[in-house]
Amino acid sequence: MEFGVFAQLFVPQFERDQDPHAEHKRIFRNIEIAKAADRNAFKYVWCPQHHFLDEYSHMPGPEAFLGYCAGQTERVHLGSAIFNITPPVNKPQRIAENVALLDHLTNNRFEFGTGRGSSSTEVLGFDIPSVDVTKAMWRETIREIPKMWKDAPYSYDGEFFRMPERKVFPKPNGPLHPAMWVAGGSPGTFTEAGELGLGVFCFSIGRPTDMEPLLRAYKSAIVNATPVGDYVNDNIMGVTNMLCMEDRRKAFEVASNMGMNYYSTLAYHWLDNVPRPKHLPEWPEKIPEPTPDQVEQLSAEGYIAVGDPDDCARSVQRWVDLGFDQLTFSPTTNTLPTEVVIGSMELFGRDVIPQFDNDPEHSTTRYRREAAAELG
């Protein structure tokens, strides 16, 4: 099991009401979290691409944020989760250029995560007629972008984009190209990701066991993958909340007051591709925050990793047992002070991560290196 953090750039309205510089401060708070990940045995920093989603995520440009992080870190891998590769949002040839440039600027630490937008608010904001068509857009572009990294001139005349014969520069730093990923949420998407040899992000909200059918679909399909890129990235990444403290009772109390359910409320409000359970209130009503006892129960069931290092390790083990390859935390989608978040990451990195990951090499680096050696 490898570990990462999400730089989601949550910017709550109540902070902006109190401080006109709140958005700016949140941006650089995420930078500090990325630097803390680099220092504390986390292997990945992921950055989404979102548009128009007030409070939920003010992060429109992974290439800008991760490019800045590249100069602030040394070891941690920096990934787009996601680059939206639908042509009306990002021209595929521009994505190919940026991915290759980031491969150089990060010294082979960039991870190429892809997707097609997370809501009708985003999709329709780019004059795409329907969310339904974005799947076909993604399928077309995911196969074409790796071809642009080859030495031969590239041209294409497809359904959603065209390009006259050109050479695309720069080429990836090599060997080969960065690991490729896709965001998924249904068994069909997980099966397709496996068939295409892509790593997959699992953003479902709930118990780890709720995602078991998705994992089975992926692991069954990837055995016989025909990769769209140069190699198979056999990787499933899950996302949850984490707060690790020496005093487990204090951790439960702090977590009950850090606003994690406010963020879940925003997710159900904006992400209309995520079914909202009928028992949860509709926006603008908010999901009530859990009590400390409820937090303890949520951690015991694996929903979240909260408590002392032993509590967190037991929660992580649930994800390991199901077959997840990476567990990523969202340490800034709450109201905790930066120093509390970094203290939690330091303790987790010291006492929990070594129980699950003692390999200095990233799995994606290994896949890339072994494929390059096999291809000569």
Side-chain angles (χ1 to χ4, degrees):
M1 175 70 84
E2 297 179 302
F3 297 89
V5 295
F6 244 97
Q8 185 78 350
L9 194 45
F10 164 56
V11 187
Q13 182 62 51
F14 52 79
E15 285 188 8
R16 287 138 67 193
D17 291 341
Q18 298 170 3
D19 182 356
H21 304 294
E23 185 177 62
H24 180 80
K25 291 176 180 177
R26 280 274 176 172
I27 291 171
F28 281 91
R29 180 184 178 191
N30 280 271
I31 296 291
E32 291 304 312
I33 299 308
K35 291 159 64 175
D38 194 49
R39 296 191 303 267
N40 291 289
F42 292 82
K43 282 185 171 176
Y44 301 86
V45 172
W46 296 100
C47 172
Q49 179 182 343
H50 285 304
H51 304 274
F52 324 124
L53 306 186
D54 190 12
E55 298 190 84
Y56 179 76
S57 178
H58 293 205
M59 186 70 83
E63 68 277 21
F65 181 84
L66 297 175
Y68 187 92
C69 286
Q72 305 288 313
T73 58
E74 297 179 355
R75 180 193 57 84
V76 73
H77 279 208
L78 305 164
S80 57
I82 58 160
F83 269 140
N84 185 323
I85 63 171
T86 59
V89 179
N90 287 303
K91 295 293 185 184
Q93 49 268 58
R94 291 287 292 118
I95 291 287
E97 292 170 337
N98 274 328
V99 169
L101 184 58
L102 283 164
D103 194 36
H104 287 270
L105 294 175
T106 63
N107 194 25
N108 296 102
R109 292 187 289 135
F110 182 68
E111 304 275 332
F112 179 35
T114 70
R116 54 194 179 96
S118 61
S119 70
S120 58
T121 299
E122 291 187 312
V123 169
L124 303 183
F126 286 94
D127 200 29
I128 298 173
S130 167
V131 174
D132 296 336
V133 75
T134 60
K135 187 68 171 180
M137 290 179 174
W138 177 86
R139 283 177 173 148
E140 182 172 277
T141 55
I142 195 66
R143 295 180 179 278
E144 294 305 309
I145 288 172
K147 299 174 185 177
M148 300 179 192
W149 293 323
K150 303 301 182 183
D151 286 333
Y154 173 85
S155 63
Y156 185 71
D157 188 357
E159 182 178 359
F160 298 108
F161 81 97
R162 294 179 295 169
M163 181 177 169
E165 187 174 285
R166 294 289 188 276
K167 276 195 171 185
V168 176
F169 299 107
K171 301 304 180 187
N173 190 31
L176 310 181
H177 55 73
M180 297 174 66
W181 301 72
V182 63
S186 67
T189 303
F190 273 67
T191 297
E192 185 171 15
E195 291 171 345
L196 298 178
L198 304 172
V200 66
F201 310 125
C202 196
F203 292 112
S204 298
I205 300 174
R207 293 183 183 89
T209 51
D210 295 340
M211 293 170 270
E212 192 169 5
L214 306 180
L215 275 68
R216 285 201 306 268
Y218 178 84
K219 292 298 184 181
S220 296
I222 204 160
V223 173
N224 298 307
T226 302
V228 291
D230 289 333
Y231 56 95
V232 171
N233 177 24
D234 183 357
N235 251 312
I236 302 178
M237 183 261 274
V239 184
T240 190
N241 284 296
M242 183 272 287
L243 180 63
C244 190
M245 292 181 158
E246 297 282 6
D247 184 334
R248 67 191 301 266
R249 198 65 210 170
K250 183 178 179 181
F252 301 145
E253 291 170 358
V254 171
S256 71
N257 290 292
M258 70 183 188
M260 61 179 165
N261 277 358
Y262 182 72
Y263 194 75
S264 296
T265 299
L266 290 170
Y268 284 118
H269 170 54
W270 286 118
L271 310 186
D272 46 15
N273 63 332
V274 178
R276 180 182 56 82
K278 292 182 179 180
H279 69 277
L280 294 182
E282 292 190 51
W283 183 268
E285 297 298 317
K286 312 297 189 297
I287 302 172
E289 296 300 328
T291 66
D293 288 343
Q294 288 171 330
V295 170
E296 183 176 8
Q297 184 62 31
L298 290 170
S299 185
E301 294 179 6
Y303 278 94
I304 54 179
V306 174
D308 63 19
D310 290 338
D311 291 303
C312 291
R314 282 191 292 270
S315 179
V316 169
Q317 188 63 51
R318 288 179 172 268
W319 297 77
V320 172
D321 293 342
L322 285 169
F324 281 89
D325 302 293
Q326 182 185 150
L327 189 56
T328 295
F329 307 116
S330 297
T332 59
T333 55
N334 54 57
T335 58
L336 293 178
T338 303
E339 59 269 21
V340 173
V341 172
I342 291 177
S344 168
M345 292 173 65
E346 290 172 347
L347 182 59
F348 189 91
R350 187 192 74 197
D351 289 356
V352 181
I353 289 180
Q355 299 182 47
F356 299 95
D357 185 12
N358 284 301
D359 187 346
E361 187 174 41
H362 295 65
S363 63
T364 49
T365 299
R366 183 174 65 255
Y367 289 141
R368 186 174 181 175
R369 173 178 54 78
E370 290 177 349
E374 192 172 311
L375 293 170

